[in-house]
């Protein structure tokens, strides 16, 4: 397989102006005709024109209406090359034949539940027709779609519907035209039996936009929340960024077979059904929140991705990091900012940090790839969003908005780079961002350490920072990064002290705002070692550092246990209150893991339980915040902090702690469940979700007690629940303990919901993630369940992804978990290489475990590598994991 490098980027030899497509959809084959206006980048030049194609059957190729002779072009399984095109602008007509019915890769044109749909990002358009399949080729498209009217009554593509009508032989057609230039990865087509929920959004300039959400008829009632989310997103983008939708129609289609969450095709977003369909009975609060976020995300791409797109795929974070940041902000504004931040930081720590510390570590802007599909990663998306967030932290909301305005002013209609975004932010604010660009090119999570000291005589408080960026594959030596550190200093009453100035490099710098003191400031840490000294600090403060998690780093401080308890109780920055609790919990868990490994008896620090009790019983706190604050760090997070990851010890310790906490706070948890039952209809709003979240965390703690009274309570909750959030939490609590009750209730749940594939996926995931010993056998049985289909990515994600998410079973010492995954990857790769390669990542960090596990995991990776016909996708992840 060929590796592609960022440094080799070259401008294209040819550009395309207009692209007229015609699809003749058939039951066995589809004929695709394209007519492209081509012009050379350099006037007068006519180098060979090389088009990408993937296993296409070429029917004909014409230049300026003349069919080309065999000697004038060359075609193979990956390219069509026109050897000597005419000079100047010319027209190119290509006809290909494709077989969507046989396409299980879910890339290009394929069928999902009988309907045609497309997925072209990153390089799927080449599976439809020969084209320069790269994002810097932006053209205006029209699309004629024709097919059997009874089989495919709905025919959709990008842009405006220009004409539609009947054709002979029971066929009909629709002609679509997109007035905006776009790269081919944003092309979309959908055809099938769908109905729409219709609504209207009036833009702030008074234009009426028709909104349509398309699903099979029976699912339409479940699209109300998605429509709400779409309208809220449209309004938010106008309010916060002044960005208005630019066409008169916006379509969303939900399909059951989709590789990822959704796709932002211009005016025709295609979604995985699970991110559109919701009803209180079938979808949980988490589903509702995910729908809000992803509908927002895809809609926001209309400006950050579509109007301004990427020059090449290395720049993916330009659109994805920025759009994730925008969707995070949108969700924060629609709910609780602190809780959203906690959820986003947890995701970063649990998924991105491990990637950044493993063989697949890559910068936010990767330097090379074999298959671009493998770089739709938590680093590009989530760490990329953190990079965007740092601009905002440094310049404030207004400065950030100025930067965004300049970005659109400069680059609307262009395909650009991460430097262009950086330059817009810098120039709009006349800012000095020092070595900030390193965030795009250096992989690895910086480790920042800070030590503090108070000089009572001089009344100064000093913070000494040091930073280290760990080596990553291909980057053994790192430069220091530019790290914005937001902080405040708490006095002995727990109040933020006023801050006026700070010494840095021996120079006193004012940090007031409008001549007034500030209570929180942002330090710019840019060197390997650096000191900041605050003068006029009248008493020893407790510093609250990295407020709001102002940079994506690992952070270690010399704060004592009592400082952390103090911050947990008083910090005005709610994120750091939560963080203080997590640091305490992590320290405690690590020391218990050491005890466990040395076969010492385990005992829980009573101060920790007391801290949890105070949070749980503090009625002034937001309930969802409480739910987050009393949740222990995940097993992965703790293993990540160990020299040699020990899944059994970490699992034993976390289970011990949960049980112990449940026993000591049993009365409080019971009251919490009692006081937070639903009294009204399901409403998707913060107070209601917060109440349910808290109740469910309490129930989950209680489940660890294996107590008859609690089982009765769980059953009661299960039977009386009126929404999926509470019913599923009760089911999970019951399923926590093996036995007859578990089996019966799981069977009951399946019987009740077997007609709803999205709920069945939850049922698969719950069982797959279980930490019941030897669960791999149960998962193998579920693999053969009639509702499981390896061709459906949601099924794979629930069952196989769910299983790998349970460290204790996936890393079972007998290798049974590894063997199961190895077999699955080989089978999946033949169906859908992108889905398969994402699963291989579970093996990537095999070197983190003990020798026995290393040998077993390595053997599976080698088995995968030796498989005949392995895809490039899987090859890339497996070979990098072994390197
Ligand atoms: N921009 C979209 C990416 C996407 C994708 C990438 C690879 C393979 C399948 C895919 N489906 C969608 C989604 C987004 O981030 O908005
Ligand atoms: Zn995106």
């Amino acid at each position: 397989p060929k590796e592609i490098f960022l440094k080799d980027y070259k401008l294209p030899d040819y550009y395309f102006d207009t692209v007229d497509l015609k699809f003749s959809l058939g039951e066995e084959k589809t004929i695709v005709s394209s007519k492209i206006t081509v012009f050379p980048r350099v006037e007068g030049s006519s180098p060979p024109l090389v088009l990408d194609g993937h296993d296409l059957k070429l029917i004909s190729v014409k230049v300026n209406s003349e069919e080309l002779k065999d000697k004038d072009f060359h075609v193979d399984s990956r390219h069509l090359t026109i050897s000597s095109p005419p000079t100047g602008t010319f027209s190119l007509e290509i006809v290909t034949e494709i077989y969507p019915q046989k396409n299980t890769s879910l890339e290009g044109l394929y069928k999902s539940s009988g309907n045609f749909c497309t997925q072209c990002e990153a390089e799927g358009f080449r599976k439809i027709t020969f084209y320069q399949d790269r994002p810097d080729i932006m053209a205006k498209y029209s699309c004629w779609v024709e097919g059997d009217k009874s089989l495919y009554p709905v025919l959709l593509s990008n842009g405006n519907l220009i004409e539609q009508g009947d054709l002979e032989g029971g066929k009909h057609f629709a002609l679509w035209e997109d007035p905006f230039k776009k790269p081919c990865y944003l092309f979309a087509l959908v055809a099938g039996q769908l109905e729409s929920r219709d609504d209207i959004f009036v833009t702030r300039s008074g234009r009426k936009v028709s909104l349509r959400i398309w699903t099979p008829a029976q699912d339409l009632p479940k699209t109300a929340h998605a429509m709400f989310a779409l309208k809220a997103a449209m309004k938010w983008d106008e309010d916060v960024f002044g960005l208005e939708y630019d066409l008169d129609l916006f379509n969303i289609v939900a399909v059951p077979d989709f590789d990822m969450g959704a796709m932002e095709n211009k005016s025709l977003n295609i979604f995985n059904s699970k991110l559109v369909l919701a009803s209180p009975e079938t979808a949980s609060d988490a589903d509702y929140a995910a729908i809000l976020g992803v509908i927002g995300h895809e809609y926001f791409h209309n400006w950050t991705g579509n109007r301004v797109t990427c020059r090449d795929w290395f720049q993916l974070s330009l659109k994805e990091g920025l759009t994730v940041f925008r969707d995070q902000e949108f969700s924060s504004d629609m709910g609780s900012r602190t809780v959203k931040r906690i959820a986003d930081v947890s995701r970063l720590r649990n998924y991105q940090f491990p990637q950044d510390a493993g063989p697949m570590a890559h910068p936010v802007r990767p330097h090379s790839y074999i298959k671009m599909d493998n770089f739709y990663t938590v680093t590009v998306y989530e760490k990329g969003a953190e990079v965007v967030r740092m601009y905002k932290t440094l310049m404030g909301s207004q400065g950030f908005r100025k930067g965004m305005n300049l970005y659109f002013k400069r680059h609307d209609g262009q395909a650009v780079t991460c430097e262009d975004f950086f330059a817009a932010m810098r120039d709009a604010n006349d800012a000095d961002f020092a070595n900030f660009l390193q965030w795009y090119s250096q992989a690895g999570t910086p480790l920042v350490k800070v030590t503090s000291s108070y000089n009572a005589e001089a009344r100064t408080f000093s913070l000494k920072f040091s930073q280290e960026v760990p080596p990553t594959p291909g980057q053994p030596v790192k430069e220091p990064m530019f790290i914005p550190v937001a902080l405040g200093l708490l006095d002995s009453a727990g109040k933020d002290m006023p801050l006026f100035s700070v010494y840095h490099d021996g120079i006193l710098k004012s940090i007031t705002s409008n001549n007034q003191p500030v209570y929180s400031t942002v330090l710019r840490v840019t060197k390997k070692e650096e000191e900041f000294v605050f003068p006029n600090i009248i008493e020893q403060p407790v510093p609250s550092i990295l407020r709001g998690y102002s940079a994506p780093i690992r952070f270690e401080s010399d704060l004592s246990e009592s400082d952390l308890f103090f911050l947990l109780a008083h910090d005005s920055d709610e994120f750091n209150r939560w963080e203080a609790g997590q640091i305490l919990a992590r320290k405690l868990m690590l020391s218990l893991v050491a005890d466990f490994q040395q076969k010492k008896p385990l005992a829980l620090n009573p101060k920790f339980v007391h801290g949890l009790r105070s949070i749980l019983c503090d009625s002034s706190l937001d309930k969802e915040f409480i739910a987050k604050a009393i949740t222990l760090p995940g097993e992965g997070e703790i293993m990540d902090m160990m020299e040699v990851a020990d899944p059994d010890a970490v699992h034993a310790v976390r289970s011990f702690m949960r049980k112990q906490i449940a026993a000591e706070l049993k009365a409080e948890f019971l009251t919490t469940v009692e006081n937070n039952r639903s009294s009204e209809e399901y409403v998707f709003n913060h107070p209601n979700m917060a109440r349910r979240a808290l109740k469910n965390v309490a129930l989950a703690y209680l489940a660890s007690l294996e107590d008859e009274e609690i089982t009765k309570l769980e059953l009661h909750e299960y039977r009386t629940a009126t929404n999926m959030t509470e019913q599923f939490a009760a089911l999970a609590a019951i399923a926590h303990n093996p036995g007859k009750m578990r089996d019966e209730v799981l069977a009951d749940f399946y019987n009740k919901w077997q007609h709803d594939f999205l709920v069945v996926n939850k049922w698969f995931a719950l069982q797959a993630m279980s930490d019941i010993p030897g669960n791999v056998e149960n998962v193998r049985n579920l693999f053969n369940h009639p509702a499981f289909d390896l061709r459906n990515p949601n099924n794979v994600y629930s069952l196989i992804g769910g299983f790998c998410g349970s460290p204790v079973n996936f890393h079972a010492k007998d290798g049974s978990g590894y063997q199961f995954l190895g077999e699955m990857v080989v089978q999946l790769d033949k169906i859908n290489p992108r889905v398969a390669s994402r699963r291989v990542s579970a093996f990537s960090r095999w070197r983190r475990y003990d020798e026995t596990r290393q040998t077993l995991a390595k053997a599976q990776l080698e088995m995968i590598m030796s498989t005949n016909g392995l895809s490039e996708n899987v090859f890339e992840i497996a070979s990098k994991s072994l390197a």
Side-chain angles (χ1 to χ4, degrees):
K2 193 172 151 229
E3 192 159 6
I4 298 161
F5 292 87
L6 167 62
K7 64 177 168 49
D8 294 341
Y9 173 83
K10 283 202 190 74
L11 288 169
D13 288 332
Y14 289 93
Y15 287 111
F16 295 168
D17 187 22
T18 56
V19 178
D20 299 312
L21 297 169
K22 182 176 168 194
F23 287 79
S24 186
L25 305 170
E27 278 318 277
E28 267 156 38
K29 62 183 185 200
T30 288
I31 308 288
V32 184
S33 316
S34 74
K35 183 172 184 180
I36 310 174
T37 320
V38 186
F39 63 97
R41 178 171 52 83
V42 180
E43 226 186 284
S45 74
S46 57
L49 168 59
V50 184
L51 305 173
D52 305 293
H54 189 113
D55 294 340
L56 294 169
K57 181 166 169 191
L58 179 67
I59 305 295
S60 66
V61 47
K62 286 184 188 167
V63 166
N64 286 337
S65 308
E66 291 231 352
E67 183 120 9
L68 285 191
K69 312 231 162 46
D70 283 359
K71 68 172 179 39
D72 296 328
F73 69 92
H74 174 77
V75 66
D76 61 30
S77 67
R78 291 290 181 269
H79 295 108
L80 167 64
T81 307
I82 320 272
S83 345
S84 18
T87 41
T89 303
F90 63 94
S91 95
L92 175 66
E93 288 166 82
I94 299 169
V95 181
T96 52
E97 195 171 288
I98 54 175
Y99 313 97
Q101 282 78 350
K102 293 190 188 148
N103 182 356
T104 59
S105 72
L106 313 188
E107 186 183 29
L109 181 67
Y110 66 95
K111 284 202 113 183
S112 173
S113 290
N115 294 330
F116 283 99
C117 71
T118 52
Q119 172 54 39
C120 294
E121 188 175 0
E123 296 177 334
F125 195 72
R126 63 186 65 186
K127 288 190 165 182
I128 294 175
T129 183
F130 289 102
Y131 200 81
Q132 291 193 92
D133 191 352
R134 44 188 284 170
D136 53 357
I137 299 295
M138 297 177 80
K140 277 194 187 159
Y141 284 64
S142 75
C143 181
W144 170 286
V145 193
E146 64 180 47
D148 188 287
K149 192 172 179 177
S150 58
L151 290 174
Y152 311 113
V154 174
L155 304 172
L156 303 174
S157 190
N158 316 87
N160 301 318
L161 180 60
I162 301 297
E163 203 186 336
Q164 61 183 332
D166 290 342
L167 297 168
E168 277 175 10
K171 289 186 175 184
H172 71 149
F173 76 93
L175 174 62
W176 293 85
E177 212 173 75
D178 183 352
F180 290 95
K181 283 198 302 173
K182 66 169 175 286
C184 64
Y185 82 85
L186 291 173
F187 168 77
L189 178 155
V190 171
Q193 307 203 349
L194 298 160
E195 292 196 8
S196 64
R197 172 186 289 272
D198 298 359
D199 212 324
I200 280 185
F201 180 81
V202 182
T203 67
R204 61 179 190 159
S205 68
R207 277 185 314 105
K208 277 191 184 159
V209 182
S210 294
L211 310 177
R212 297 206 178 109
I213 301 185
W214 299 87
T215 68
Q218 72 273 14
D219 290 332
L220 272 189
K222 292 189 188 163
T223 56
H225 175 63
M227 186 60 91
F228 158 79
L230 176 59
K231 293 201 299 190
M234 295 176 87
K235 174 87 174 64
W236 184 88
D237 221 12
E238 291 187 350
D239 292 348
V240 177
F241 288 107
L243 297 172
E244 208 177 294
Y245 185 61
D246 51 10
L247 283 165
D248 299 334
L249 174 62
F250 190 84
N251 283 308
I252 287 179
V253 183
V255 298
D257 306 283
F258 199 77
D259 254 24
M260 301 242 294
M263 179 62 211
E264 70 264 24
N265 316 298
K266 183 79 188 187
S267 75
L268 178 51
N269 285 189
I270 299 180
F271 271 65
N272 187 324
S273 310
K274 78 169 179 214
L275 288 159
V276 172
L277 306 180
S279 71
E281 300 74 35
T282 58
S284 65
D285 286 340
D287 297 325
Y288 272 78
I291 290 171
L292 182 79
V294 180
I295 293 260
H297 180 99
E298 305 311 329
Y299 174 74
F300 301 144
H301 267 315
N302 189 52
W303 278 95
T304 51
N306 300 4
R307 290 286 289 253
V308 183
T309 197
C310 302
R311 184 193 74 172
D312 55 75
W313 287 121
F314 295 103
Q315 319 295 331
L316 181 63
S317 197
L318 172 80
K319 74 175 177 86
E320 295 304 348
L322 177 54
T323 307
V324 170
F325 168 76
R326 276 152 55 66
D327 84 54
Q328 290 176 345
E329 287 295 292
F330 167 58
S331 295
S332 296
D333 288 345
M334 299 290 290
S336 151
R337 183 158 281 271
T338 305
V339 168
K340 176 66 180 144
R341 189 72 188 126
I342 291 171
D344 292 337
V345 173
S346 300
R347 181 168 160 73
L348 192 81
R349 282 198 180 125
N350 282 298
Y351 300 99
Q352 199 278 327
F353 280 19
Q355 180 168 77
D356 234 356
M360 270 301 289
H362 55 274
V364 163
R365 177 169 55 190
H367 297 296
S368 72
Y369 59 77
I370 293 175
K371 278 305 279 185
M372 186 54 213
D373 299 326
N374 284 332
F375 286 82
Y376 285 76
T377 60
V378 276
T379 299
V380 168
Y381 275 62
E382 270 73 18
K383 187 173 179 180
E386 293 300 320
V387 172
V388 174
R389 185 173 294 280
M390 286 190 284
Y391 290 109
K392 187 176 171 209
T393 301
L394 288 163
M395 288 165 326
S397 300
Q398 282 180 8
F400 187 74
R401 171 76 192 266
K402 278 205 261 171
M404 290 289 279
N405 290 349
L406 185 60
Y407 176 63
F408 294 122
K409 191 167 163 213
R410 282 182 177 172
H411 301 299
D412 188 12
Q414 297 176 5
V416 302
T417 64
C418 297
E419 275 92 359
D420 292 317
F421 184 77
F422 169 87
M425 285 290 154
R426 181 196 56 202
D427 298 348
N429 292 282
D430 214 357
D432 164 19
F433 285 148
N435 47 346
F436 190 88
L437 278 172
Q438 297 277 15
W439 282 106
Y440 293 100
S441 55
Q442 272 191 172
T445 311
L447 171 63
V448 176
K449 294 186 182 168
V450 65
T451 51
S452 58
S453 60
Y454 180 63
N455 183 332
E457 242 166 66
R459 294 188 161 185
T460 56
F461 182 69
S462 142
L463 289 170
K464 276 192 186 146
F465 291 89
S466 70
Q467 59 162 302
E468 195 82 51
V469 190
T472 47
Q475 294 189 327
V477 183
K478 301 285 171 65
E479 294 297 316
M481 311 280 273
F482 178 172
I483 299 169
V485 177
L487 99 161
L489 304 181
L490 272 66
D491 66 17
S492 49
K495 295 271 170 287
D496 284 322
M497 291 175 157
L499 305 173
F500 296 89
S501 55
V502 63
Y503 283 100
H504 180 226
D505 285 340
I507 300 167
L508 186 66
K509 231 189 93 194
S510 163
I511 48 171
T512 54
S513 157
N514 301 329
N515 284 333
Q516 295 300 312
V518 294
Y519 293 86
S520 205
T521 189
V522 180
L523 302 178
R524 298 159 58 113
V525 175
T526 57
K527 299 182 193 136
K528 202 165 161 31
E529 285 182 350
E530 211 158 355
E531 185 178 18
F532 295 83
V533 181
F534 292 90
N536 304 320
I537 302 296
I538 53 171
E539 63 170 322
Q540 164 120 33
V542 177
S544 163
I545 309 174
L546 209 68
R547 284 189 154 171
Y549 196 64
S550 58
I553 57 170
R554 290 182 199 262
F555 178 65
E556 282 175 17
S557 76
D558 57 356
L559 288 182
S560 65
E561 196 181 282
S562 74
D563 289 339
L564 290 167
F565 277 115
F566 187 77
L567 291 173
L568 178 63
H570 300 292
D571 202 329
S572 65
D573 185 79
E574 282 192 358
F575 176 86
N576 263 7
R577 275 187 89 168
W578 170 81
E579 181 74 322
Q582 293 292 300
I583 298 172
L584 284 163
R586 286 197 289 263
K587 286 189 175 175
L588 187 58
M589 286 168 91
L590 281 172
S591 83
L592 288 174
V593 165
D595 290 348
F596 180 89
Q597 288 175 326
Q598 290 157 33
K599 303 208 166 31
K600 289 190 190 155
L602 301 183
L604 194 56
N605 180 348
K607 277 210 270 177
F608 183 71
V609 182
H610 176 74
L612 293 189
R613 179 181 282 115
S614 326
I615 298 262
L616 182 59
C617 301
D618 186 343
S619 58
S620 71
L621 290 173
D622 174 74
K623 290 185 177 180
E624 203 171 0
F625 175 81
I626 301 179
K628 297 271 184 219
I630 62 172
T631 300
L632 298 175
E635 293 176 16
E637 226 180 299
I638 302 303
M639 285 199 288
D640 213 27
M641 298 173 78
M642 298 174 70
E643 251 328 88
V644 177
D646 182 343
D648 297 324
V650 174
H651 181 66
V653 162
R654 195 166 187 275
S655 306
F656 160 79
M657 284 176 74
R658 285 181 58 78
K659 201 166 177 171
Q660 200 69 17
I661 294 167
E664 296 199 31
L665 303 183
K666 183 175 169 186
E668 288 85 348
F669 282 138
L670 284 170
T671 318
T672 303
V673 172
E674 192 71 31
N675 292 347
N676 288 286
R677 289 212 171 90
S678 298
S679 53
E680 61 210 54
E681 256 187 40
Y682 178 90
V683 197
F684 174 76
N685 62 16
H686 181 66
N688 278 288
M689 282 170 58
R691 180 179 51 69
R692 289 186 286 266
L694 182 56
K695 177 190 164 203
N696 291 342
V697 169
L699 201 61
Y701 265 111
L702 290 169
S704 57
L705 289 177
E706 297 165 44
D707 160 324
E708 229 178 87
E709 176 202 359
I710 302 295
T711 312
K712 272 197 204 139
L713 172 72
E714 290 160 359
L715 264 181
H716 171 79
E717 298 303 320
Y718 174 76
R719 291 199 180 119
T720 56
T722 56
N723 59 69
M724 180 53 74
T725 310
E726 285 171 287
Q727 182 170 76
F728 198 73
L731 175 70
I734 297 166
H736 183 75
N737 301 313
K740 203 161 142 265
M741 181 68 72
R742 178 184 200 265
D743 299 344
E744 280 174 15
V745 181
L746 279 170
D748 176 75
F749 188 85
Y750 179 74
N751 285 337
K752 188 163 179 214
W753 293 114
Q754 54 183 308
H755 58 280
D756 188 317
F757 69 102
L758 292 175
V759 183
V760 171
N761 276 330
K762 293 181 191 301
W763 180 80
F764 278 133
L766 178 67
Q767 294 173 81
M769 285 185 303
S770 169
D771 54 14
I772 287 178
N775 194 40
V776 66
E777 272 322 302
N778 187 26
V779 174
R780 279 186 185 277
N781 290 335
L782 288 170
F783 177 74
N784 294 315
H785 192 282
F788 184 84
D789 183 351
L790 198 58
R791 287 168 305 182
N792 178 274
N794 290 0
N795 276 181
V796 172
Y797 183 71
S798 299
L799 192 68
I800 305 173
F803 175 71
C804 299
S806 151
V808 74
N809 278 310
F810 175 56
H811 297 290
K813 203 119 194 190
D814 61 0
S816 54
Y818 298 156
Q819 191 180 340
F820 172 69
L821 183 63
E823 286 168 25
M824 290 299 109
V825 167
V826 171
Q827 284 192 43
L828 260 175
D829 195 33
K830 300 198 181 352
I831 299 171
N832 185 331
R834 297 195 296 203
V835 173
S837 74
R838 249 171 259 142
R839 299 279 66 90
V840 185
S841 313
F843 283 125
S844 295
R845 301 198 70 209
W846 60 278
R847 287 193 175 85
R848 300 268 310 116
Y849 298 86
D850 56 80
E851 258 177 53
T852 315
R853 287 184 168 99
Q854 284 193 22
T855 313
L856 292 164
K858 185 168 177 233
Q860 290 304 320
L861 279 169
E862 284 166 349
M863 181 279 290
I864 291 170
M865 284 293 287
S866 67
T867 305
N868 277 337
L870 195 68
S871 68
E872 289 182 332
N873 303 58
V874 170
F875 171 85
E876 179 166 33
I877 307 285
S879 60
K880 287 183 176 169
S881 301
L882 283 168

